[in-house]
Amino acid sequence: MRIKSLQLSWFRGAADPVSLEPNCKSMVVYGENGSGKSSFVDAIEYILNNGRINHLAHEYSGKRQERAIHNTHKPQGRTTEVIIKFKDNSELKTEIKQNGTSTSSGAEAIAMNSWSYRRTVLRQDE
């Protein structure tokens, strides 16, 4: 299944909805430090890795990484979420609660667990 777009809201470095629309089989994400590259890669890892981002697994990120996932400037009442739209127009929406737990809905909510993280995402040092 190919990703049509990836939208982040108040997830890590992303604030109000920001979207990435890859139109290819493979993609390299590059840019200046602080431009939000890792936020998109982290969002995919979060979805594929059952709510965990491995490079954020340290004691000060919280038991469920609740202090590492949300944008630190998120206004009260705003939602931290990741929305993945697929080429077949199905959609996966994951809302991340303040305590670090999340709920997913949409046609791909179950199928995402079958994706291989290592075949989907390569980080800089891999």
Side-chain angles (χ1 to χ4, degrees):
M1 180 69 65
R2 288 197 181 168
I3 294 175
K4 182 178 180 179
S5 70
L6 177 64
Q7 181 177 312
L8 308 178
S9 297
W10 300 102
F11 184 93
R12 305 234 337 111
D16 280 320
V18 60
S19 184
L20 179 66
E21 297 177 6
N23 191 17
C24 52
K25 284 185 177 182
S26 299
M27 179 173 55
V28 174
V29 180
Y30 68 95
E32 294 182 23
N33 288 343
S35 63
K37 304 174 301 289
S38 294
S39 295
F40 285 100
V41 176
D42 288 350
I44 292 172
E45 181 174 352
Y46 183 88
I47 301 296
L48 295 178
N49 205 17
N50 296 316
R52 300 281 300 160
I53 301 171
N54 289 333
H55 75 95
L56 297 177
H58 39 71
E59 61 187 56
Y60 55 84
S61 68
K63 185 177 179 181
R64 292 191 197 112
Q65 298 184 336
E66 66 271 12
R67 291 183 288 246
I69 301 298
H70 302 280
N71 183 297
T72 56
H73 302 291
K74 182 180 89 162
Q76 191 169 3
R78 293 291 183 101
T79 304
T80 299
E81 63 186 8
V82 176
I83 300 172
I84 301 175
K85 293 182 182 176
F86 298 92
K87 292 285 185 179
D88 69 354
N89 292 321
S90 62
E91 179 178 286
L92 169 68
K93 181 177 180 179
T94 301
E95 183 177 325
I96 302 146
K97 298 176 182 71
Q98 196 62 41
N99 67 1
T101 62
S102 64
T103 55
S104 294
S105 63
E108 294 298 320
I110 297 171
M112 289 300 287
N113 292 333
S114 68
W115 285 30
S116 169
Y117 171 71
R118 289 286 162 227
R119 291 191 66 197
T120 305
V121 176
L122 289 175
R123 291 202 175 261
Q124 182 176 0
D125 60 345
E126 298 173 334

